[in-house]
Amino acid sequence: MRTRFAPSPTGFLHVGGLRTALFAWLIARQTKGRFLLRIEDTDQIRSVEGAVENILSTLHWAGIDPDEGVMMRKGIMAQEGTKGPYIQSQRLELYQKYAEQLLQNGHAYACFCTAERLTQMREGQMARKQAPMYDRLCTRLPKKEMEERLARGDPHVIRLLVPHERVFTFTDKIRGEVTFQGHTVDDQVLLKSDGFPTYHLAHVVDDHLMEIDLVIRGEEWLSSTPKHLLLFERLGWTPPKYAHVPLLLNKDRTKLSKRQQSVAAEEYIGKGYLPEALMNFLALLGWNPGSEQEIFSLAELTEAFSLERVQKAGAIFDLTKLDWLQGQWIRRLPLAEFADRLQMLTAERYPEAAHDAHFSEKAALIHERVTFLEEGPDMLAFFYVEPKVSVELLANAKQKVTKELLTTILKLLTDTLGKIPADAWTTDTLKEKLLAQAKKQDLSQGQILWPLRAALTGLPYSPGAFEVAVALGKKTTLARLEGARAVLE
Ligand code: GLU
């Protein structure tokens, strides 16, 4: 299947847009088809510089690069494929040609109504509690007057003539059979007075010429679909299939909004979410696999995804779930990759981390504990800066480590560890020797491990004492224990 993502370059890429792109990409992958990227920039006032590059880099980050259309090639924006151009502002003549054809065939008409008149009309309709729609004043213009005004070049738009008696029924891949009454469908503007098409005309022309088989787009376009189907019919073309994906909702079931949370994909990238986590999360917004499985890579999604399992109801954007998935995906990163990424981040704060040959052993200690890579440098700080240790931290009522006992415990630690040769400095040996010694002196495991960990890290929470001691090495371990003893005195 040929599917497409057709964003308007009006700023950031909305997470809902990214989900739509993902669904379209998945269907193309599943069917060994093609995923196109088309830029819908016919609203020139709303187009924003740099927005296309941002869309492309976000898709690339997400792992769903387009196969055809607008794409990045060696860092430069390019267009690839035989059905281009893929940027609507470069296709204006095509839209004008088809608008003209519709006009000639009587399926569209010129409308000269001014913005003021349309506003007045709309206000009147709203006051009468009618749905606002064009009242067709211009269809009643005498033919001669119409022609004169066109010849004079009076500003006008081209509108689609919708047969009011028609009933539009179509099958949406997500919503099933959908019906709209013709008299509720507005005579849509197809071509604006500046010669630019509206979305409605432009995307129909493009979806046809670009041979799109399936249109996946947001639910907000569902009610416009009758106009689009009518356009396909009037132009003598076969329409694609449609799938309208459900809205994204805030927790309180209102439409996902900037006021309640970030809606720009780039904000999630900036916050340090992994692409795997965000895409896994977006896939589950509206789609369910019909099984207990929750973790899906793009490859697994390609296997499992189906539009039939996408719900009609809005999907709640639950950040708790996203963070959970993020944690899952961080842990799934192979240690080497996790360590590499973390080493770069850590070196920004502690430059010596850049040359630390044992960095990956340190990273391994926190792999299970971080949700965001950004938390890593703080957790590893004690490896690179001398920890601040206090008596309050070394003692611990819960572990029955009283201040009075601390001198004995720290001595035990220093003496026992001091006797372990550097080449036997492993967690197993440390554990064996320390626990044996503790037992001899009638101390519990907690009573020796808490002060050891606290002395080595200066933190109330950290990876386990043996692992930290091994990662620090014998020399530093003993030095830090000395430091703790000095604090006691
Ligand atoms: N440019 C439209 C939008 O950004 C595309 C809708 C569609 O996919 O047809 O909403």
Side-chain angles (χ1 to χ4, degrees):
M1 280 213 193
R2 290 171 64 81
T3 62
R4 88 306 193 266
F5 179 48
S8 301
T10 51
F12 57 82
L13 179 56
H14 193 282
V15 281
L18 187 55
R19 180 193 56 170
T20 304
L22 169 64
F23 287 3
W25 181 89
L26 287 170
I27 299 287
R29 287 288 79 79
Q30 271 178 356
T31 57
K32 309 238 179 316
R34 272 162 99 74
F35 170 60
L36 277 74
L37 183 73
R38 177 173 76 223
I39 296 298
E40 304 207 325
D41 60 345
T42 55
D43 192 344
Q44 295 276 301
I45 301 165
R46 293 183 55 221
S47 292
V48 171
E49 175 95 21
V52 178
E53 285 80 357
N54 181 277
I55 291 166
L56 287 170
S57 67
T58 305
L59 294 181
H60 182 70
W61 173 86
I64 57 171
D65 282 311
D67 307 309
E68 185 176 326
V70 180
M71 55 181 79
M72 280 297 188
R73 279 287 173 259
K74 300 198 181 100
I76 309 171
M77 205 173 88
Q79 298 190 49
E80 272 182 23
T82 54
K83 313 210 181 297
Y86 295 89
I87 298 179
Q88 288 187 330
S89 60
Q90 298 172 7
R91 302 168 61 82
L92 298 181
E93 280 165 26
L94 279 168
Y95 310 129
Q96 285 155 3
K97 173 177 132 191
Y98 289 110
E100 186 60 31
Q101 182 181 318
L102 290 163
L103 203 55
Q104 294 306 326
N105 295 341
H107 299 313
Y109 58 91
C111 167
F112 299 91
C113 290
T114 60
E116 295 75 51
R117 161 153 211 280
L118 292 174
T119 309
Q120 252 177 24
M121 173 198 79
R122 221 171 293 127
E123 282 167 359
Q125 288 167 333
M126 297 212 318
R128 292 190 299 276
K129 304 239 178 318
Q130 295 169 336
M133 72 199 272
Y134 183 55
D135 62 5
R136 295 195 161 165
L137 180 71
C138 288
T139 59
R140 296 189 283 277
L141 279 178
K143 195 159 183 269
K144 194 158 162 279
E145 187 185 336
M146 162 83 77
E147 278 162 4
E148 275 167 19
R149 293 184 72 172
L150 281 176
R152 247 195 345 246
D154 281 4
H156 65 279
V157 301
I158 308 257
R159 285 184 186 272
L160 175 66
L161 184 64
V162 178
H164 280 177
E165 67 293 350
R166 275 278 283 276
V167 176
F168 295 96
T169 298
F170 59 95
T171 305
D172 182 276
K173 287 220 166 257
I174 294 170
R175 319 195 141 248
E177 194 172 284
V178 188
T179 298
F180 288 92
Q181 302 297 325
H183 65 86
T184 64
V185 179
D186 198 7
D187 283 355
Q188 181 62 52
V189 173
L190 300 176
L191 207 62
K192 294 178 274 186
S193 54
D194 59 3
F196 272 74
T198 57
Y199 161 69
H200 305 277
L201 174 64
H203 92 282
V204 163
V205 169
D206 292 347
D207 283 343
H208 171 69
L209 295 177
M210 296 177 187
E211 296 176 14
I212 299 302
D213 297 300
L214 170 66
V215 168
I216 301 179
R217 61 184 177 187
E219 180 185 314
E220 66 272 25
W221 297 112
L222 183 69
S223 62
S224 300
T225 311
K227 300 175 208 171
H228 305 154
L229 290 170
L230 181 63
L231 275 169
F232 274 99
E233 181 189 310
R234 298 305 198 207
L235 289 163
W237 300 335
T238 309
K241 303 243 176 318
Y242 289 91
H244 289 90
V245 297
L247 283 180
L248 299 186
L249 304 177
N250 296 310
K251 264 206 160 139
D252 61 7
R253 303 204 70 88
T254 54
K255 194 173 153 197
L256 189 70
S257 70
K258 260 193 267 193
R259 255 167 296 127
Q260 298 202 24
Q261 54 213 356
S262 310
V263 295
E266 63 189 304
E267 289 184 54
Y268 292 90
I269 302 176
K271 283 180 189 162
Y273 286 98
L274 294 174
E276 291 87 343
L278 186 63
M279 299 316 271
N280 191 159
F281 174 67
L282 291 179
L284 294 172
L285 285 179
W287 171 74
N288 80 78
S291 69
E292 297 289 294
Q293 188 177 348
E294 291 194 274
I295 312 292
F296 288 90
S297 63
L298 286 182
E300 288 166 319
L301 284 173
T302 305
E303 282 286 306
F305 182 75
S306 78
L307 287 170
E308 285 68 30
R309 298 206 67 93
V310 175
Q311 72 198 30
K312 290 182 225 170
I316 299 200
F317 199 90
D318 177 3
L319 283 177
T320 323
K321 176 81 178 262
L322 173 59
D323 285 354
W324 179 78
L325 285 168
Q326 166 75 4
Q328 297 295 312
W329 275 106
I330 282 273
R331 284 182 244 320
R332 254 156 237 254
L333 278 184
L335 177 60
E337 197 183 327
F338 174 73
D340 271 355
R341 298 204 207 177
L342 191 56
Q343 189 160 16
M344 285 191 288
L345 263 183
T346 309
E348 283 171 22
R349 187 118 42 99
Y350 310 108
E352 62 270 43
H355 321 287
D356 184 345
H358 298 283
F359 187 84
S360 111
E361 290 149 43
K362 299 181 174 100
L365 298 183
I366 62 166
H367 198 180
E368 292 292 322
R369 293 162 185 264
V370 299
T371 306
F372 292 95
L373 287 171
E374 280 70 9
E375 297 161 357
D378 266 350
M379 291 184 176
L380 296 181
F382 67 82
F383 282 114
Y384 303 105
V385 285
E386 216 44 55
K388 283 200 180 59
V389 178
S390 65
V391 179
E392 286 63 40
L393 181 72
L394 292 166
N396 182 320
K398 227 160 100 206
Q399 301 288 354
K400 299 207 169 58
V401 183
T402 58
K403 286 183 186 165
E404 293 66 43
L405 265 181
L406 273 175
T407 317
T408 317
I409 297 172
L410 288 175
K411 181 163 184 323
L412 176 157
L413 290 168
T414 316
D415 293 349
T416 315
L417 292 174
K419 282 190 208 125
I420 300 176
D423 58 6
W425 195 255
T426 63
T427 41
D428 286 344
T429 320
L430 266 56
K431 188 169 176 184
E432 187 199 314
K433 301 281 185 213
L434 282 177
L435 294 189
Q437 196 57 39
K439 206 163 170 199
K440 257 193 219 157
Q441 301 198 18
D442 237 0
L443 291 165
S444 72
Q445 186 165 326
Q447 280 175 306
I448 58 161
L449 292 191
W450 177 274
L452 175 58
R453 220 185 38 72
L456 298 185
T457 66
L459 298 171
Y461 304 100
S462 78
F466 301 125
E467 288 78 10
V468 169
V470 169
L472 280 171
K474 180 173 177 181
K475 211 172 124 211
T476 311
T477 299
L478 290 177
R480 289 194 180 177
L481 283 170
E482 276 316 317
R485 293 174 82 177
V487 167
L488 266 193
E489 278 155 24

